[in-house]
Amino acid sequence: DSNNKTYCQADGSWSNTTMRCYKQCPELSDNVPNAKLLRYSNSSGGKAIYECYEGFTINPANLTRVCREDGKWTTESPTCQMIVCPNVTSKNGHTDFLNGTLNYGSFLEATCYKGYRHRRGSALRRCQSDGVWSGSRLICLRRSCGPPDPPANGNVTTTGEKYKDEANYSCHDGYQISPSTPAMATCTEHGNWSVEVSCDRIRCGLPENDTAL
């Protein structure tokens, strides 16, 4: 390369008087934790460019090192950190982190609480390389039993029609709640009322005979 040479010229002066010599930077190892060295030049002004493995991240500015004129690299070797997804919860449900961590590649499983049903969202989710969980948050709603049927010859009032709500029964005049059933039912975790209430006609039994003395 003519830029790296100088000659004694006919006028007694040296050519290429602007030529300067620079130190080379030390050789770099490709053995960098959680990263790979894509390419580099250890000449003055040369660059070393790294890339984190999938699932790891670092400030992009720290992935490039420059060889200075004094033969030293501008920064230390990069340290790529494991990507961690945020902690998440399920509405009216339980979240179980199957791998015990929030790290990249981990899975979570979401289930509804007793008495609740899956409305929308994902039951199984994975921590992705962008630090975001796949799918969407699980939403669970209270199971509905629907309006209870009033018994024949009776009425029913409720505190609601969903899980754990209550239905209270009463009978018309001349009728009473059947002794075999309670006067109240509860909306169960399965979406049905706990009992069917019936009203029985009140019976007086046989009258007693008066005995004359």
Side-chain angles (χ1 to χ4, degrees), residues 85-129:
C85 285
N87 191 14
V88 294
T89 58
S90 302
K91 185 175 181 180
N92 300 318
H94 173 73
T95 302
D96 184 22
F97 297 97
L98 302 182
N99 304 91
T101 73
L102 305 176
N103 294 344
Y104 163 72
S106 298
F107 287 88
L108 68 80
E109 184 176 37
T111 54
C112 295
Y113 291 145
K114 175 182 175 180
Y116 290 78
R117 63 178 179 82
H118 183 177
R119 176 66 179 83
R120 63 176 179 271
S122 308
L124 188 67
R125 304 174 68 184
R126 181 176 183 268
C127 180
Q128 304 174 117
S129 60

Side-chain angles (χ1 to χ4, degrees), residues 192-205:
N192 60 279
W193 294 100
S194 57
V195 293
E196 291 186 7
V197 177
S198 61
C199 291
D200 296 340
R201 177 181 286 184
I202 296 174
R203 297 182 180 278
C204 296

Side-chain angles (χ1 to χ4, degrees), residues 168-191:
N168 295 283
Y169 296 84
S170 61
C171 296
H172 297 163
D173 290 343
Y175 292 83
Q176 64 181 2
I177 300 293
S178 173
S180 63
T181 61
M184 184 187 74
T186 303
C187 181
T188 72
E189 62 190 271
H190 304 296

